[in-house]
Amino acid sequence: MPKMLATLIDRCLFTVFFILGLQLPEFMQQYMQRLSGHLHEAHYQLDQFQAIADNQFQGNLLALIERYQSNSDDVFQQTGQMIENLMLRIEGFNQSLTNLQQGDYLNRLYYFITQIDPELATATLRQYQLAVPLDMHALATGATFAIVLLLLGNLLAIAVKRLIRRLSANNQIITRGPLT
């Protein structure tokens, strides 16, 4: 009976860990959608400045930025810096999205885990919708996650059993009787 119960618990844990592992590719997908939305919005904002540059500087956005930054008024200087930061933000979003969409799955997954934007990840997590994706990458991730966690759990259980055996063999386990 205890062996059957242990097997049942292992199967339940595997299923739970498998479903949790499936969530990583789904979270990655929802993160990319959010990243794409931020990129689109940043482009929209930059397009507003590009329209000014088109009218005033023959389309040269860098000339517009230079004009703002060379102005003696701090408000204009800060606006120039904001436009420059917006351009850098777009470049970063483009690079991240490219890295998350191109290459093999393991490289994309590695990039996602090591280069995740904490702010975007937190926002994605707040709006996260659980799902069970049924593509090969998600299934492989789920199975790998479940197997690794079960192996770690079994190794921990073995280590604890050995520790208990050593302590009991050395009579180092202290038992207490009823309090009087």
Side-chain angles (χ1 to χ4, degrees), residues 54-168:
D54 290 346
N55 287 334
Q56 302 297 319
F57 298 95
Q58 293 81 35
N60 188 343
L61 189 59
L62 295 177
L64 174 69
I65 293 170
E66 187 178 314
R67 172 70 69 89
Y68 273 118
Q69 290 178 337
S70 67
N71 192 303
S72 61
D73 189 338
D74 283 346
V75 172
F76 288 102
Q77 290 175 2
Q78 290 173 8
T79 302
Q81 187 60 51
M82 183 189 70
I83 299 168
E84 193 172 348
N85 290 344
L86 186 57
M87 290 174 64
L88 292 173
R89 185 171 169 92
I90 288 172
E91 185 179 314
F93 284 160
N94 274 327
Q95 185 63 45
S96 291
L97 204 51
T98 298
N99 288 336
L100 290 169
Q101 292 175 332
Q102 294 179 354
D104 66 57
Y105 178 70
L106 289 179
N107 284 334
R108 293 188 328 241
L109 189 61
Y110 176 77
Y111 179 83
F112 176 73
I113 291 169
T114 60
Q115 302 298 318
I116 192 168
D117 180 323
E119 185 180 321
L120 280 178
T122 301
T124 303
L125 192 57
R126 278 196 297 268
Q127 300 294 317
Y128 183 70
Q129 297 291 315
L130 290 175
V132 181
L134 296 177
D135 64 23
M136 289 307 293
H137 294 129
L139 295 173
T141 302
T144 301
F145 187 76
I147 290 168
V148 167
L149 286 181
L150 281 178
L151 286 174
L152 289 174
N154 286 334
L155 289 174
L156 180 64
I158 291 169
V160 168
K161 286 178 186 177
R162 285 184 180 175
L163 180 63
I164 290 172
R165 275 193 229 132
R166 276 191 196 154
L167 291 176
S168 65

